[in-house]
Amino acid sequence: MRHQERRPRFGLSRRLGVLLTAALLSSSAAACGGAADAATSSRGTPEAPADTVVSTDAGAARGTLTSEARLFQGIPYAAPPTGQLRWASPRPAVSWRGIRDATKPGNRCAQAKGLIDEASTTEDCLYLNVATPRDRDAHKLPVMVWIHGNGFISGAGSLYDAQQLANSGQVVVVSPNYRLGIFGFLAHPALDHGGARHLSGNFGLEDQQAALRWVRRNAAAFGGDPDNVTIFGESAGGTSVCSHLVAPGSAGLFQKAILQSAECTGRKWSPGPPTWFPLPRSEREQHGLEVAAKIGCPKPEAAAACLRDKRPEELTKWSDDGVGSGPTVGGGVLPLSPDRAFATGRFNHVPIIQGTTRDEHRLFTAAIETATGQVTTPASYSAEVHTLFDKSDAERVLARYPVEQFHSAGEALSTVVSDWAWGCPVLDRDRALAARTPLYAYEFADETAPWFTTLPKPNFPTGAFHGAELQYLFADEQLPGPSTPGQKELSATMMSYWTQFARTGNPNGPGQPRWQPFQNKEHVQSLAPARITSADLAKEHQCAFWASIGS
């Protein structure tokens, strides 16, 4: 049975809900953390006004000239989705007169408070940020549009400081906000008409499309090439990239794509509420109806007005466990699931980079242990495996991954889920994509990647955890960042790979280790300090064994 087709029980159901509200929220630390807004706006003081004023199609904006880049923040790309525009398709931003101050980030979209992120009840949040090289060597620079992660329930584009990426790679980096949680992904029949141009359930994806259209109209004003756009994102941002590869309305808005730790399979990991994966409309709508009833809007015919009458703080909490958060498959924006589209070739055939981190689930386990105050024990490890799989398969898994072979039971559980749910499925997807479009596959493998400053270390090595690679591409307040010479070299190499790919569709450039395209085999580029080589994903993650589980 193919990994994409398998829909086993996932025994971490509610504990993964904790992860999405706590740990994956803390993965915003892998997205520069809550203090990054102030840090980004204070890295330089305005100077040379003529160099920091840009005319967009809605009006002029003045940014900041820093030591590394020209930085523009808080530029509206769509009208505030408030009042009757709550759960409506994005509308054009209102033009302004004079020169708009673009030296501070715009509001974050409404979200609950996490371990790191501050809460927001602001729906006026459809803003984006632009970083360009301080001294660009050419016009028509490649444009990279970063779609932030955090489970579709938290985060903001401004948390990712892309100044070094823009300057060293001579690219323009755009990072938009988009509606999150219940505001961006609630699917309910009462919201399918009126202000919605499509069916409900994907307003957050529509926001991202609006930002891409803004890029097409305005990239040239910032020195960018509107015909050379790369979309890239991690975790939920990577899932968004998967969706745009499939969405008809996204065709032509980008020419290349980078998927980092993306979940694109449409596989539901638990019998609990939907999470950030693409799920069928029937499931999303069922939960939408349940949520509306719990909020106090049980009558479908009156639900739209009732829901729009609720205060933002009443609604935000319903995003907390993943309910309503994530793409809706079926009709409207996303008529076909990404896994089905990739298997049948019905997607936008553009060059792609795709990869994961080697030890994805170690972050999840560590964050769950921190949030619950309960360390994984041999007994709870066995119990979790038995809820993940049927009894016979669970016994096989425990025999294959005996707790005695690991530093702790938490590491054993992390390895099981990293192999089963991340390493092997992405290899299947590599094969499906490479059969139809140029693909460069990787695995981030720095086993000593710096850990969060705000999250306690677990009783096992954190390894190349989920989101660990982000600090090698962006400046980060909550992660120490590359510190050893080897790590700094890896960071420079990764930024070169990413930006060279954005420029040409091929990550290879002068002076860098050769990255071979994926050729439907098991080997991918292994990104680790001082030893960029190839990794055999099938062997490393025991994919032959996992192919037999659940079949």
Side-chain angles (χ1 to χ4, degrees), residues 94-424:
V94 176
S95 300
W96 62 86
R97 295 182 178 180
I99 300 177
R100 181 186 182 92
D101 179 72
T103 61
K104 296 181 181 179
N107 301 321
R108 301 186 194 186
C109 289
Q111 55 192 271
K113 179 177 175 56
L115 288 180
I116 294 174
D117 286 340
E118 294 299 321
S120 171
T121 57
T122 304
E123 293 178 81
D124 177 6
C125 65
L126 298 186
Y127 300 93
L128 53 74
N129 314 286
V130 183
T132 76
R134 178 185 170 97
D135 301 305
R136 61 178 185 262
D137 57 15
H139 290 285
K140 288 199 168 183
L141 299 177
V143 180
M144 302 184 73
V145 180
W146 173 253
I147 303 175
H148 73 79
N150 296 353
F152 292 112
I153 57 176
S154 73
S158 58
L159 300 181
Y160 300 77
D161 187 341
Q163 295 182 60
Q164 185 178 0
L165 182 67
N167 197 47
S168 66
Q170 287 290 300
V171 296
V172 175
V173 183
V174 181
S175 53
N177 295 346
Y178 56 91
R179 280 173 283 182
L180 302 165
I182 193 171
F183 301 96
F185 296 94
L186 179 67
H188 193 293
L191 304 176
D192 287 347
H193 306 291
R197 296 193 185 96
H198 306 280
L199 299 179
S200 62
N202 288 311
F203 296 114
L205 291 181
E206 290 190 66
D207 292 343
Q208 295 170 14
Q209 290 176 334
L212 290 172
R213 291 192 292 270
W214 182 95
V215 167
R216 184 152 192 86
R217 298 192 307 271
N218 292 285
F222 295 86
D225 183 353
D227 295 316
N228 190 10
V229 175
T230 298
I231 57 174
F232 68 135
E234 184 265 350
S235 194
T239 302
S240 298
V241 174
C242 282
S243 300
H244 292 303
L245 283 167
V246 177
S250 302
L253 295 178
F254 62 95
Q255 288 70 46
K256 306 171 194 72
I258 301 175
L259 295 81
Q260 301 174 215
S261 298
E263 174 53 75
C264 308
T265 64
R267 179 182 62 240
K268 186 180 177 183
W269 284 5
S270 79
T275 51
W276 75 92
F277 317 137
L279 290 178
R281 178 164 296 279
S282 59
E283 294 186 43
R284 292 289 187 203
E285 285 189 345
Q286 179 59 40
H287 283 283
L289 291 166
E290 293 173 2
V291 168
K294 291 176 181 177
I295 292 173
C297 303
K299 297 181 180 180
E301 65 276 8
C306 179
L307 287 166
R308 289 193 174 100
D309 193 48
K310 301 295 181 180
R311 291 177 293 115
E313 50 267 31
E314 293 182 75
L315 298 170
T316 303
K317 63 182 180 181
W318 296 102
S319 302
D320 285 3
D321 62 359
V323 174
S325 302
T328 299
V329 176
V333 176
L334 197 60
L336 194 64
S337 67
D339 55 331
R340 181 62 178 165
F342 297 157
T344 59
R346 288 177 283 179
F347 64 95
N348 298 316
H349 292 188
V350 300
I352 295 171
I353 286 177
Q354 176 175 244
T356 59
T357 67
R358 190 193 61 191
D359 307 304
E360 291 276 4
H361 207 72
R362 294 193 191 185
L363 169 64
F364 299 160
T365 300
I368 289 170
E369 291 184 350
T370 297
T372 62
Q374 298 178 353
V375 175
T376 307
T377 66
S380 63
Y381 166 51
S382 177
E384 291 288 7
V385 170
H386 276 88
T387 56
L388 282 166
F389 308 102
D390 293 332
K391 183 177 180 180
S392 60
D393 283 341
E395 293 302 322
R396 292 179 61 204
V397 171
L398 290 171
R400 190 81 173 196
Y401 295 80
V403 70
E404 296 81 9
Q405 289 186 1
F406 300 91
H407 292 88
S408 69
E411 184 183 5
L413 177 62
S414 299
T415 305
V416 166
V417 182
S418 293
D419 290 355
W420 164 65
W422 294 96
C424 298

